[in-house]
Structure formats: structure tokens, C-alpha cells
Amino acid sequence: MISYRLLQFNSISIRIFAAKLNYAIMNFQNSISLFESAKKYFPGGVNSPVRAFKSVGGTPIFIEHGKGSHIWDEDKNEYIDYCCSWGPLILGHANDTVLTAVEKTMRKGTSFGAPSRAENELAELILKNNSYIEKLRFVSSGTEAVMSAIRLARGYTKRNKILKFEGCYHGHADSLLVKAGSGLVTFGNSSSAGVPQSFVNETISVELNDKTAVEKAFEQFKNEIACIIIEPIPANNGLLLQDKSFLTFLREICSVNKSLLIFDEVISGFRIGFEGAAGYFNIKPDIITYGKIIGGGFPVGAYGASHQIMSCISPEGSVYQAGTLSGNPVAMSAGKAQLTECLKENFYTGLSTKTNYLVNGILKNNTFKLFKLFSIGSVFWISFTDKEKINSSSQINANNLNHFNKLYHLLLEEGVYLGPSGYEVGFVSEAHSYDDLDKTIKAFSNALSKL
Ligand SMILES: *Cc1c(COP(=O)(O)O)cnc(C)c1O
């Protein structure tokens, strides 16, 4: 009791002291106690690792609700949100158009495990407005989309090996949890326990932007490589923007070697434009994977390709892939409602204009040039670096993350929520207003003055 009182007294006096100094001290008590409970239920207290705040330190914030560009936590703290559920919410939280569509569909039943009209409608909307794929298959997550795309590439080419890039994330399927080994072209190492070495041996992992390493791999494993998989706009390990010439090179080397090129557009799809990175660069990969935005905030993924390649998928072909909740009508209607908004005129230019405004505003106050802001479309990345350009993961200095971690907590105090890791990018949504952006610029300026 005494210690409690003391604690209470201290916390009050700290608050008064802080108020005098004009510091906002936020209360995270409810998040802290929810996290304590969560740790009893889930490994590390979470259902996806990055949510645990391990990278930035401190306790994860439990979100109570969101509307538009704002979220509120369980302690009633309000934030402008640039995580946007890691990208899916391109219209912001609880968008009315999406909610109306979802509610209408939901009342007619939530799942049938049989075909329903909503699947056709979302597919038609996508395929009519995308010149890079002819046929789709819906699944329930980005991981599942990529996993299926890899199986399709292997089934189509009748080859086993895949080539991926260090610093690209493709979900958590076994053969993709592989990081580059030492040496130029070697078998990688698993980046997770529980992945058999025999799976790892089928994955070649090289640095982004390294043409020589890709050429060497094709020499060494002639007629063995089923596909190259890349995030054409790598945005899971910082924002490692690639030159178009590198992607063109990948397109050519795949064609020459009869390997398939997979663009993993789970982030970039419907984000960098309706046709994603394929449209942005005007490069036609053989298979494209989607996730995040495609489901309007519901669990949806998809992979698409030409009629010919997609005809390998069961029941038409011999590559098996299925899902109880695939093409779920509620999720389909959310996706359709969201993507319909994305197709409106100037939707993407509006987003880029806002993002540029935000980035330039923040940089103006970055007088000590502590960090760079890399951005494309409505994606941005804060990087504590003195490099003008970063296009491979080896160029990221991990020591600099300490600065991000400090900035992160200062920004929370200022009411700005970013994804809790310096390797994560931020997203601007349709719901972010110029008032939000001005407040964010001010928040950065305040946070930087304390850094
Ligand atoms: C998020 C992501 C995935 C995994 O998607 P989940 O829905 O989290 O399984 C795969 N690839 C890329 C490029 C992603 O950004």
C-alpha cells in the first residue's frame, strides 16, 4: 500500500514536472496490462512477431479503434497512423464504403465453401484493369499467395530451385525463409529454426542489384532454376528501390533460361498504382502475387498469371492448391469496395502528392540531416544514413537503428504511430488530410528537437 501510494505520488509529481517542462507524458497502463495477459496466451504476447515492439523496445500499444487516418489505443491516446495495418488500409480505417459493402454481404452469410458472385466481381474488377495477368486464384494471405506461386512455377517449369534476394520478404513459407550464405553464390542459410536443410538447398539467395551474382547462379544451376522471385519495390527491409535496368535484366535472364519471373506485389500491388510495380516499370513478370490492399482490410491474397500458366493449377492442371475460406464473400466484397475507390481518377496522384508534401515537410526540419527519407508513391522510409541511395540490404547500418528507436518513442508521445521497427516503411492513405500531414511535420520537428 505504501509503495503504491509512493508510486502514485511519484507519477503525479512526474506529471506536474513534465507539464511544467511542456512534455506530454502518456499513459499506457491499459496496454501494459493487456500485454501482460497476452503473454500468457501467445508466444511473446503476440500473433505476429513485429507487433511485440522488440525492435523499438517498450510495450506494444493495444489499439482499441480506428477511423480514417487515426487510431486510438486502450488508454484513449490518439495517433495519426502511418502503419495502416502494414499497408492494406489504403483508404484508412473503417472506411464507410468498405463497411457498407461488408455489412450487406455479411448479412447474407459469411462463408459457403462454394462459388459465389463476389469472387467473380472482384476478379473482373482486377483483371479488366490489369494488363499483366489474365487469370487469378484467390487465397487468404500474402504468404499463401507466394507459397502457391512458387509451387506453380516449379510445376510449370518442372524445376526445383528458386532464386530470391536478400532483404526481400515473401512471407513465412519454408523455402523463402532463407538468407544469403557467405560467398557469392552458395546455398543460403535458413533464417528460421524448423526449416529442413534440404529445403534450403533449393533456394539460392543473392544481394539485390547484383547482376553478376544472378548470372553466376544461372551458370552454376543451368536448367535447374524454376523462378526468380523479387519484390520489385522491396519494402520489407527498408525501402530498397531498384533501378528499372535491374528488373529488366531479371526479365531477360529468366526468358533466356526459361525460368519464370515472379513479382511479389503483396505490398506494391494496388499501392504504386492499380497495376502495381509491373505497371509502374512496365515489365511483365510471369506470375504476380498480391495481398494486403486486395482484401480491403480482410485476409485475402491472390496470384495471377497468363491463361497458359494458370491452367497448371488444380482442378484444370496438376499443381494442387486449395482453401476452405478462399474467395470468402465478405472479404471479396471488402476488396471490391476498396479497389473501386482506387480506380477513381487521380487517386494515386493524390496519394503521391500528399506523400511528397509530408516527406519534404519533414526534411525541411531535419536541419542536422540526421536521416534520409526515401519514398515512392505513398510509401516512405526513414533511414538514418548518410548514403544518397540504398538499394541492397548490406548497405543498411544496423547500428543506426538506435536513433530510429528513440525517434519512434518521441513520435508516439507526439501522437504519430509508425510501424514499430526501423526496417519498416510507412504508408500514407487516402484518409490522411493535409491537416494530419502538417501535424505530423510538426510532431517530427518537436521529436527531433529532443533527439
Ligand atoms: C506482407 C508480405 C507478404 C506476406 O503476406 P502475409 O499476408 O503477411 O502472409 C509477402 N510478401 C510481401 C512482399 C509482403 O509485403
Side-chain angles (χ1 to χ4, degrees):
M1 194 63 198
I2 290 171
S3 65
Y4 172 70
R5 280 238 182 113
L6 209 66
L7 207 76
Q8 203 178 31
F9 171 76
N10 277 343
S11 115
I12 290 166
S13 57
I14 287 168
R15 266 157 201 285
I16 293 167
F17 182 63
K20 276 188 188 151
L21 287 177
N22 210 7
Y23 274 124
I25 294 265
M26 282 169 126
N27 180 14
F28 297 112
Q29 211 46 58
N30 292 336
S31 281
I32 290 169
S33 75
L34 281 165
F35 189 52
E36 283 311 307
S37 305
K39 281 194 271 193
K40 289 183 239 157
Y41 310 135
F42 315 117
V46 289
N47 288 298
S48 195
V50 70
R51 298 179 196 171
F53 268 49
K54 285 266 186 205
S55 180
V56 292
T59 309
I61 288 161
F62 278 64
I63 308 302
E64 197 270 328
H65 79 284
K67 187 71 191 168
S69 56
H70 289 227
I71 49 175
W72 287 260
D73 70 15
E74 289 280 354
D75 294 284
K76 301 199 177 351
N77 300 309
E78 180 178 352
Y79 311 87
I80 304 171
D81 179 22
Y82 291 96
C83 177
C84 295
S85 188
W86 304 102
L89 303 179
I90 199 165
L91 304 177
H93 296 268
N95 175 271
D96 288 327
T97 311
V98 175
L99 292 188
T100 307
V102 164
E103 186 164 29
K104 198 171 153 212
T105 312
M106 188 174 78
R107 301 223 168 262
K108 297 201 279 180
T110 55
S111 179
F112 308 111
S116 65
R117 184 187 293 270
E119 295 157 75
N120 289 15
E121 290 176 351
L122 180 56
E124 186 183 357
L125 186 76
I126 294 168
L127 295 173
K128 259 194 182 162
N129 294 288
N130 186 322
S131 46
Y132 297 89
I133 52 170
E134 294 172 340
K135 213 171 234 181
L136 275 174
R137 174 58 72 79
F138 288 119
V139 293
S140 300
S141 71
T143 293
E144 214 189 330
V146 173
M147 188 184 83
S148 312
I150 298 275
R151 186 179 303 137
L152 172 57
R154 285 173 164 159
Y156 182 80
T157 59
K158 303 192 168 53
R159 298 173 178 180
N160 288 338
K161 293 209 188 314
I162 63 173
L163 190 151
K164 71 177 279 289
F165 296 92
E166 189 70 37
C168 286
Y169 177 69
H170 302 293
H172 67 86
D174 282 336
S175 57
L176 291 156
L177 291 177
V178 175
K179 57 178 189 285
S182 53
L184 204 53
V185 183
T186 55
F187 291 123
N189 305 308
S190 161
S191 51
S192 163
V195 177
Q197 187 58 39
S198 54
F199 290 19
V200 173
N201 291 351
E202 304 299 345
T203 303
I204 306 154
S205 180
V206 303
E207 283 285 345
L208 281 162
N209 195 39
D210 188 345
K211 291 185 186 174
T212 314
V214 176
E215 280 164 353
K216 287 235 158 98
F218 274 97
E219 276 165 34
Q220 198 172 334
F221 303 108
K222 195 146 185 62
N223 301 328
E224 289 185 71
I225 298 176
C227 63
I228 292 182
I229 182 163
I230 188 168
E231 279 182 82
I233 296 174
N236 275 289
N237 196 295
L239 185 60
L240 307 174
L241 296 173
Q242 300 299 295
D243 289 335
K244 180 174 178 179
S245 62
F246 183 64
L247 299 171
T248 308
F249 159 78
L250 298 180
R251 176 60 282 176
E252 282 164 6
I253 202 164
C254 280
S255 301
V256 168
N257 290 281
K258 299 193 165 47
S259 302
L260 300 190
L261 178 63
I262 304 178
F263 274 5
D264 180 356
E265 299 228 43
V266 172
I267 280 191
S268 56
F270 313 103
R271 168 64 63 183
I272 305 299
F274 197 85
E275 292 179 295
Y280 182 86
F281 292 111
N282 191 22
I283 294 176
K284 192 172 185 299
D286 299 295
I287 307 176
I288 308 182
T289 56
Y290 298 106
K292 299 195 169 104
I293 292 173
I294 199 173
F298 283 77
V300 180
Y303 58 103
S306 62
H307 291 299
Q308 191 207 358
I309 293 176
M310 289 307 280
S311 70
C312 294
I313 297 293
S314 179
E316 221 173 309
S318 54
V319 176
Y320 190 71
Q321 186 273 307
T324 301
L325 291 172
S326 292
N328 173 272
V330 181
M332 294 290 108
S333 65
K336 184 187 161 203
Q338 174 150 283
L339 295 190
T340 302
E341 294 298 308
C342 294
L343 280 168
K344 290 190 173 156
E345 214 175 314
N346 294 328
F347 179 83
Y348 288 103
T349 44
L351 281 181
S352 316
T353 309
K354 276 192 222 172
T355 310
N356 289 337
Y357 180 87
L358 177 69
V359 165
N360 293 332
I362 294 170
L363 287 178
K364 218 178 279 165
N365 295 323
N366 182 18
T367 38
F368 297 109
K369 305 254 178 296
L370 292 170
F371 56 80
K372 297 261 162 42
L373 269 168
F374 298 105
S375 72
I376 182 168
S378 50
V379 184
F380 64 90
W381 179 46
I382 302 160
S383 177
F384 285 83
T385 181
D386 44 24
K387 294 192 169 65
E388 286 310 316
K389 197 173 172 182
I390 296 192
N391 54 18
S392 76
S393 61
S394 61
Q395 294 169 317
I396 300 175
N397 182 349
N399 296 329
N400 287 344
L401 284 182
N402 296 333
H403 303 302
F404 177 84
N405 297 345
K406 276 187 208 141
L407 177 66
Y408 185 83
H409 289 284
L410 290 168
L411 285 173
L412 276 187
E413 294 275 336
E414 296 286 339
V416 171
Y417 186 87
L418 301 168
S421 160
Y423 287 107
E424 301 294 349
V425 295
F427 298 98
V428 174
S429 79
E430 159 85 337
H432 286 85
S433 66
Y434 279 90
D435 183 47
D436 288 327
L437 304 180
D438 284 332
K439 283 187 175 136
T440 308
I441 292 165
K442 185 82 176 54
F444 265 84
S445 159
N446 291 346
L448 284 172
S449 69
K450 294 177 200 160
L451 196 66

